[in-house]
Amino acid sequence: MSNLRFQVVEKAFSKKPLHVEKPKQRPSEYFGRKVFTRDKMYKYLEREVYDQLVSVIDEGSPLDRSIADAVARGMKQWAEEFGVTHYTHWFQPLNEGTAEKHDAFIEHDGKGGLMEQFSGKLLVQQEPDASSFPNGGIRATFEARGYSAWDPTSPVFIIDDTLCIPTIFISYTGEALDYKAPLKKALRAVTQAALDVVHFFDPTVKKVVSNLGLEQEYFLVDEDLFSARPDLMLTGRTLMGHDSAKNQQMDDHYFGTIPDRVQAFMKDLEIQALELAIPCKTRHNEVAPNQFELAPLYENTNLAVDHNMLLMMLMKRVARKHGFRVLLHEKPFAGINGSGKHNNWSLATDKGKLLHAPGKTPMENLRFATFIVETLMGVYRHNGLLKASIMSAANAHRLGANEAPPAIISSFLGSQVSQLLQHIVEIGEKSLAPDHISTLTSHLSPLTSKDATRSARQLDIPEIPELLIDNTDRNRTSPFAFTGNRFEFRAVGSEANCASAMIALNAAVAEALVDFKRRVDQRVASLDKSRSSLAAGDLQSPASHSSTIQQAIIETLCEDIRTCRPIHFDGNGYSDEWVAEAKQRGLDVETSCPLIFDRYLDPESINMFESLNIMNRKELAARNEVKWETYTKKIQIEARVLGDLSMNHVIPVATHYQSRLAKNVMSMRDIFSKEEAMKMCARNIHIIREIADRTQTIEQMVEELVEARRIANGIATEREKAIAYHDTVVPKMEDIRYHIDKLEMLVADELWTLPKYRELLFIR
């Protein structure tokens, strides 16, 4: 038993970095090489077809199926130059992964042979089996028909010999069975709502887009060590394992020198990612041993989500090539940092103006304040829903521990923005006569001007240049933090399809903006009416009407700042006091994962999704069925693996060591007197007894675990079954782990069969 583990560890530690051939071109020259980008569209499509397709992508024009054949021909011609022989509709079902069915570019030629063909019909839609993917009861097994439909806004790409076509996935009756369809609807809702509000400040803006930057954290484990841990192989996390004497307490891994093997993996990954137009920007060691991060440049949210799903798939493939396994589980190791996927989200205009960034004029700063406040309004009204959007069995282990934000949604703003909002309330309470409006809005300028967002700091070292210091620090415990010109949704888990969080966030902000515009319009109409009557029928001047709009905006902002105050928290999110305070503020403090999912079916959630035409009640109910079922199955698998390891690995190893100690005691009694032997063997006797106690306890607990699963499995509804697994199965697993981890420290190291944390966590 001992030699096998030691051999695996020795093999893992002796591996050398794999040589990666560096491209002779610069990254900018091979970026997007395997993507049907605009320059390829222009080259392989007729000009009229190209113009129509660009209009679909940029302007949201309806896709005319009459151009599909021409687009398909151009795509096929381009792809065949890379040796492509197959195509697939690439979509994102409700299982956190991606799906694809490959078909060859072949049809009968009518003469007994084959010919290569790819038509517009095949490009535009396919028919995967809708009943075999999670659907929450929308489709029965005998109702298998479903459709995938091409999303032209996300460009097609090549993986190996296959042309991959990003698509949405819907049922035969039209309900969304994926993440992309509702995400696109949520993005349409928020960009239209934002555009309507932006027109208060700049009527010439034609378009608003939602942008996203994703910081992907992950662990790497040597493939041989991974294969020797059945729990890692089957669940993605270690279900047992005592802390390593050294883990992250020295803070020496964060931003440390990247190990050579990892550097080779990162280089290979970046090259392949850049060829697929994934704009990899940052790589570094994260806080925990063997933990790393990759972050791209900002992109349109729809494309960023697609790229992140593609990147996770690519990471797994490249890691295998380098003798690693990527762990994307949110908490693969106890006692150290888990992994998140920080979603840096913002809105921007077609003029390049970030709507969550300060401006240079009073009106730009009023616009900045408006979008900050209305984002907070959306987050406040739907804080429970936002938590549900990022919750999972895996992420529940991560939230609230080791620098991960807590499972209470709040927003950190920093002192400067907090002062700005308070200042708006104070001046909004003063006289709002038309001739005071310019004075009122000018108060915003010094608080949010570009010069004020950063201050200069000169160090007492002549060689070091003057530093520009942000006036607002960062709060690592905030789930939704303002970071200067965007919000960072830090609570999203590393393995998740972040479309789930982006659907909820963009929908919540869209609803807040729609409501804001409605109330401003009402105030403007009321103010215009009263001022017109005072002017004895004279027409109102444009300047006067502009002042009226500003006054209406500020009055509405003051109202909303007071309303959303409970979501604003700049303090320590880990403290017990914050939990009590958050509850007093009316924020959602629920910690049970299955109960958190209920927020999707709250009346206000259903009303928001339906009013914005994102999802209907039936689709929301189906998704919750999937969430509850997925939660149950993940815990069920973990419980079965833990029971198997307990009975077939841990207890046999422990009793084997116990027998060895017992033989030692008996041998000592043959040599020495009973009294002398007992004295000499006191420690061994103590260990023998402790092993007996713990193995007996583990065996009994495994039986109780099996019984708890049996009872839970008999529950008819998925919601109640998930609750039973959370309340009765998970606690028993934690108790079993406690005793196994104690045994690991008792049993002789050479007998323990499973690689330990000290071996798993340090790449040589």
Side-chain angles (χ1 to χ4, degrees), residues 626-643:
V626 172
K627 288 177 181 292
W628 285 317
E629 185 180 7
T630 300
Y631 179 87
T632 296
K633 287 180 177 179
K634 285 191 174 183
I635 302 301
Q636 185 182 70
I637 292 169
E638 289 185 354
R640 293 176 67 179
V641 171
L642 181 61

Side-chain angles (χ1 to χ4, degrees), residues 662-692:
K663 288 179 182 178
N664 175 265
V665 172
M666 296 299 294
S667 299
M668 295 293 281
R669 290 184 65 176
D670 290 340
I671 299 173
F672 301 99
S673 67
K674 181 178 180 180
E675 292 76 13
E676 287 180 305
M678 292 297 288
K679 186 176 180 180
M680 293 176 180
C681 297
R683 180 180 178 277
N684 285 356
I685 292 171
H686 173 77
I687 294 175
I688 290 169
R689 285 176 176 160
E690 185 173 351
I691 290 175

Side-chain angles (χ1 to χ4, degrees), residues 374-391:
E374 295 315 307
T375 298
L376 294 179
M377 282 292 288
V379 173
Y380 169 61
R381 286 173 177 162
H382 297 285
N383 68 94
L385 174 65
L386 286 173
K387 181 162 69 173
S389 76
I390 55 89
M391 187 54 68

